[in-house]
Amino acid sequence: MSKTVIIASTDSGVALGNRIRTEFPKSLLVSTRHHERATHINSIASFLEGNFNTFDTLIFIGALGICVRSIAPYLQDKKEDPAVINMDDSGLFVQSVVSGHIGGANDITRKLAAAIGAQAVITTSSDLQEIWSLDTLAEQFGWKSATSQDMNSIISLFVNNQPTALLLDIKDRGTAHLEKTLPAFVDVFYDLDQADLSKYALLIAVTYRKYPVTIPVLYFHPPVLNIGMGCSRDIETDLLEASVYQQLAQQHLPIESIKAIGSIDVKHDETAFIALAEALQVPFVTYPADELNTQTVLNPSEVVMSKLGVHSVSEASAMLLSRNKELLLEKQKITVSSGKKHTIAIAVDRQVIRKAVIAIVGAGPGDAELISLKGKQLVEEADLILYAGSLIPEEITHYAKKEAIVRNSASMTLEEQIGLMEEHYAKGHLIVRLQSGDPSIYGAIQEQMTIFDEKGMDYFIVPGISSFQAAAASLKSEFTIPEVVQTIILTRGAGKTPLPEHEKLNEMAKHKATMCIFLSATIAKSVQEQLLEHYDPETPVAVLYRVSWKDEEIYTGQLKDLAQIVRDHKLTLTTLVIVGVAIGARKNRSYLYNPAWKHTFRTGKAIKTN
């Protein structure tokens, strides 16, 4: 957690300092004024002399001139200086002073201004233009940066809006951000051969490669290269390291992109491998022979099989590390100057390769605006969207790009859906399968994932808001009440699909938890009878039809009336039943915000100064 000190010069500054301390748990408030709510210091100069480098963030409350003169003797470099922010003691303006990007002062300035209703004052060009902060992108997304010339000159080209080519050799969270926030003077490419660099003043490349280009380059190297290796016993550490570096250079691969080194488990104590991993600051992973033999490699070795019981060490371990069946560098056999040998193979993390993928996206309970931001973004980018029209509002598909294929799967068999997905998958498309609510709850995705696994199709899941959560919102209820009910049961009645013996409703009812019952309106009488074995007849009940949809219907009453409510309103499909004393409850205060309750962010203790 960041260590923050708030330095107040006046009594009103101390009062303001105590207001903003809530935004910085465990922060220290100091002042030259004697005040019961601040730690007294003799002077700002003497305090900073002993404490300037103790804190990550310094917030001055008072005149900007005092702030600047106080910190001037201690400033070294923007990569090392703490974030410094200054605000007037009336709380009208908050200004980022030092380390706006790397130290985070600009973000803290915005946070403070929002907390007290002040005007944020930020003067860095990239922030004012709302373009990327090139010196913080690497840290933000877990990349490592390298430049062909001084970083300040690179930044100067960019903030002056010089024509810039953006090369994206991988796909991850960071590249998705860059694609979505592309400045007008930047053109994006996914293959360098497609870019005429003579038209650009700068190349920004998110890549695991190095390119021989003549214009200035800012590289962002993601850690995605996995090295598999075998070697002669006790190969010399320095010779192995020099050989690996030489191989990387020959292949134009940066050491900054190495993610891990792998080998067979009998090499777990090989000094040269351990030293290389330590030098590169990456993990060294070993695999047993039977696991290595699960991989089908391009260059199997009968010699290695006879000695170690495996067809491959380097290629197989690179594949296992990367979860990628394709190699960037096939096995190379190398003899170092001592006469000892090693092999090396390299594979790229499968998950960052730009190719087809299926996203199983939770579409939410019905309201098109209750899809997650990530889910909405995937719908906007998808080439194929499949959705069940009876369960998912058509409005969500309106987010799709105009060239996307959008199909209602309600009338399609699973086989027909898979066939359509395979057709688009072969074209390298992004496929979105929209599931109602959250995919993990009665989502019927298991059978789909089984087929995806069998066919080797990449997929991932994006969670969504479930109808039981939307129900709580519509009922203005918290389903867990301190000292009353602390458990929520998500279940269904036994209709066409039977329930496991230990999950029958009358067994679940013994807990008297807040019970959310799905897919059971047609058997409401049976549900009521089973629940009444343990719940009181007057227990609150809510019946919600198409919760959060435009035609939502909500009926409340008591458990003894459940079947009658369902029957009177002719409720069948897409109906959710909630049972429990938490419905509409307003008593029993939580300890979380009780003044007497101390926790991680409210300890009641102050940070001590030197």
Side-chain angles (χ1 to χ4, degrees):
M1 184 179 293
S2 175
K3 295 181 66 177
T4 301
V5 62
I6 303 166
I7 304 171
S9 303
T10 64
D11 289 338
S12 56
V14 171
L16 182 56
N18 275 294
R19 279 177 58 193
I20 65 176
R21 284 187 70 187
T22 58
E23 301 298 318
F24 300 90
K26 298 186 178 180
S27 59
L28 173 69
L29 173 62
V30 302
S31 178
T32 53
R33 309 286 295 173
H34 288 279
H35 199 287
E36 61 181 7
R37 300 187 65 189
T39 299
H40 180 260
I41 58 175
N42 292 325
S43 71
I44 295 175
S46 61
F47 173 76
L48 292 182
E49 183 177 4
N51 293 280
F52 183 79
N53 293 315
T54 301
F55 297 94
D56 302 313
T57 304
L58 288 80
I59 302 172
F60 284 79
I61 304 178
L64 178 60
I66 295 176
C67 167
V68 172
R69 285 193 295 272
S70 298
I71 65 175
Y74 309 105
L75 297 179
Q76 300 293 327
D77 183 89
K78 68 178 183 179
K79 295 181 180 179
E80 300 177 3
D81 293 333
V84 180
I85 298 94
N86 189 83
M87 56 196 306
D88 62 281
D89 59 10
S90 295
L92 298 177
F93 298 95
V94 184
Q95 181 164 3
S96 174
V97 180
V98 169
S99 291
H101 287 155
I102 297 176
N106 289 357
D107 290 337
I108 296 170
T109 295
R110 296 187 187 96
K111 178 179 177 179
L112 282 171
I116 63 173
Q119 172 67 54
V121 180
I122 296 172
T123 57
T124 45
S125 180
S126 59
D127 287 87
L128 294 174
Q129 296 184 63
E130 296 185 343
I131 58 177
W132 307 323
S133 170
L134 298 185
D135 51 357
T136 63
L137 283 177
E139 181 178 359
Q140 184 178 354
F141 297 114
W143 304 328
K144 293 182 180 178
S145 61
T147 60
S148 62
Q149 58 186 64
D150 179 68
M151 184 64 164
N152 286 335
S153 64
I154 296 283
I155 293 175
S156 177
L157 289 170
F158 190 71
V159 299
N160 283 293
N161 298 178
Q162 294 300 298
T164 299
L166 173 65
L167 174 66
L168 303 180
D169 277 340
I170 66 149
K171 178 179 66 175
D172 66 0
R173 182 173 63 92
T175 59
H177 168 76
L178 296 183
E179 289 174 297
K180 193 171 183 179
T181 57
L182 205 67
F185 59 92
V186 178
D187 295 326
V188 62
F189 299 94
Y190 303 100
D191 185 336
L192 191 60
D193 291 338
Q194 298 173 352
D196 180 358
L197 294 184
S198 65
K199 297 179 180 180
Y200 298 96
L202 172 65
L203 171 65
I204 299 175
V206 183
T207 181
Y208 50 84
R209 297 184 183 275
K210 290 183 177 180
Y211 292 101
V213 297
T214 57
I215 65 173
V217 184
L218 169 58
Y219 288 108
F220 290 117
H221 294 308
V224 296
L225 297 181
N226 300 276
I227 299 179
M229 298 185 73
C231 73
S232 303
R233 175 58 72 179
D234 296 327
I235 190 171
E236 295 82 0
T237 297
D238 57 338
L239 297 182
L240 177 73
E241 181 176 319
S243 177
V244 170
Y245 284 16
Q246 182 180 17
Q247 281 295 311
L248 291 170
Q250 289 175 357
Q251 301 299 325
H252 304 291
L253 302 175
I255 61 173
E256 292 89 347
S257 279
I258 297 175
K259 181 180 181 181
I261 297 172
S263 190
I264 191 169
D265 57 4
V266 297
K267 294 291 184 181
H268 74 279
D269 59 350
E270 189 68 53
T271 302
F273 284 167
I274 295 171
L276 178 61
E278 289 178 350
L280 295 172
Q281 296 184 317
V282 299
F284 173 46
V285 182
T286 60
Y287 297 97
D290 57 353
E291 194 168 357
L292 291 171
N293 281 331
T294 62
Q295 304 301 300
T296 301
V297 298
L298 297 172
N299 300 285
S301 170
E302 293 302 323
V303 174
V304 176
M305 171 57 76
S306 65
K307 292 183 177 180
L308 299 175
V310 295
H311 288 291
S312 169
V313 173
S314 58
E315 290 188 343
S317 55
M319 289 177 174
L320 287 170
L321 282 170
S322 63
R323 299 182 181 180
N324 188 354
K325 302 298 183 183
E326 299 179 6
L327 294 169
L328 181 64
L329 177 67
E330 293 182 25
K331 179 176 70 175
Q332 304 293 307
K333 299 178 182 179
I334 300 165
T335 302
V336 299
S337 59
S338 66
K340 293 189 176 182
K341 301 177 180 180
H342 77 85
T343 58
I344 182 172
I346 303 175
V348 180
D349 270 359
R350 180 182 180 183
Q351 65 184 18
V352 303
I353 296 174
R354 288 190 171 274
K355 61 179 182 179
V357 67
I358 300 168
I360 301 173
V361 176
D367 184 341
E369 294 183 350
L370 288 181
I371 189 172
S372 69
L373 288 174
K374 185 172 184 178
K376 178 175 178 287
Q377 180 180 330
L378 287 165
V379 171
E380 292 170 339
E381 298 171 355
D383 301 294
L384 170 66
I385 300 170
L386 279 173
Y387 75 106
S390 59
L391 300 173
I392 294 169
E394 184 181 339
E395 288 85 351
I396 288 182
T397 68
H398 295 171
Y399 297 133
K401 59 188 180 184
K402 61 181 180 180
E403 62 269 28
I405 302 298
V406 181
R407 292 287 302 275
N408 184 341
S409 64
S411 62
M412 301 171 67
T413 65
L414 176 60
E415 289 72 18
E416 290 172 332
Q417 295 173 43
I418 295 297
L420 182 59
M421 285 190 269
E422 282 188 294
E423 178 185 330
H424 283 266
Y425 195 91
K427 298 177 181 178
H429 286 175
L430 169 60
I431 301 162
V432 168
R433 181 62 170 105
L434 287 172
Q435 299 286 150
S436 62
D438 179 85
S440 69
I441 304 173
Y442 305 113
I445 63 172
Q446 180 176 281
E447 59 187 15
Q448 298 176 56
M449 294 190 294
T450 298
I451 296 173
F452 298 155
D453 289 337
E454 291 173 351
K455 294 180 177 293
M457 301 169 79
D458 280 344
Y459 64 92
F460 62 92
I461 300 172
V462 178
I465 295 174
S466 172
S467 58
F468 88 89
Q469 296 167 299
S474 293
L475 294 169
K476 297 182 180 178
S477 295
E478 179 182 349
F479 284 171
T480 55
I481 306 297
E483 301 181 46
V484 176
V485 57
Q486 292 287 280
T487 302
I488 301 171
I489 295 176
L490 310 180
T491 188
R492 55 181 290 274
K496 293 180 180 179
T497 304
L499 292 173
E501 189 66 29
H502 60 281
E503 290 187 15
K504 290 185 176 179
L505 286 182
N506 56 351
E507 290 295 318
M508 297 289 101
K510 291 179 180 179
H511 302 287
K512 293 188 177 181
T514 300
M515 192 172 290
C516 306
I517 306 170
F518 295 75
L519 309 170
S520 303
T522 58
I523 54 171
K525 185 175 181 181
S526 172
V527 169
Q528 176 179 308
E529 290 173 350
Q530 293 181 69
L531 297 181
L532 283 173
E533 292 182 27
H534 298 284
Y535 286 94
D536 294 331
E538 292 76 26
T539 301
V541 67
V543 183
L544 302 99
Y545 170 75
R546 289 167 65 86
V547 62
S548 86
W549 289 67
K550 292 178 181 179
D551 56 349
E552 171 188 81
E553 297 176 23
I554 300 177
Y555 306 97
T556 58
Q558 297 179 336
L559 178 56
K560 60 185 175 63
D561 303 317
L562 171 59
Q564 188 68 41
I565 292 171
V566 173
R567 184 167 55 252
D568 288 349
H569 299 284
K570 299 178 181 180
L571 304 177
T572 54
L573 302 177
T574 58
T575 299
L576 177 64
V577 175
I578 312 291
V579 179
V581 295
I583 297 173
R586 290 294 184 269
K587 297 180 180 179
N588 298 76
R589 177 173 178 173
S590 166
Y591 286 114
L592 182 60
Y593 299 109
N594 190 308
W597 186 259
K598 306 302 179 186
H599 53 75
T600 302
F601 297 102
R602 195 170 64 239
T603 63
K605 298 178 181 179
I607 297 176
K608 296 180 179 179
T609 61
N610 292 337

